[in-house]
Amino acid sequence: MSRVARDWAWSCRGLTPAERCVLLALAEHADEEGRCWPSLSRLAALTETDRRTVTRGLAELEARGLLARERRPGKG
């Protein structure tokens, strides 16, 4: 976990509780450069929400410019 990412996530304002949980879960997985690759299932488990809530949260965080996503093909 990157302490910098965690502190930054807590400092972000105007988020819904679900968006904040998703952002904090991402920070929990971030490396020192702020990059992370948790699955939607992992984020859903950490935030105790469903994958759809996580997907909406990620989309809103990206729309606000708080994160950038790189889509990668899944396994299989």
Side-chain angles (χ1 to χ4, degrees):
M1 168 183 58
S2 167
R3 178 170 286 199
V4 172
R6 184 197 62 207
D7 291 347
W8 172 79
W10 277 114
S11 74
C12 293
R13 298 291 174 238
L15 303 177
T16 66
E19 292 164 358
R20 182 166 310 281
C21 283
V22 170
L23 193 59
L24 288 167
L26 291 170
E28 192 71 26
H29 284 81
D31 63 16
E32 292 305 317
E33 295 178 8
R35 297 176 301 178
C36 59
W37 300 273
S39 67
L40 288 176
S41 296
R42 177 71 179 145
L43 292 172
L46 284 171
T47 59
E48 297 185 14
T49 61
D50 59 26
R51 288 171 51 116
R52 186 172 178 191
T53 300
V54 170
T55 301
R56 281 193 308 260
L58 290 170
E60 184 58 32
L61 293 168
E62 186 175 29
R64 292 176 185 224
L66 296 175
L67 62 86
R69 290 190 285 178
E70 178 182 320
R71 279 139 182 100
R72 302 178 333 159
K75 294 179 182 178

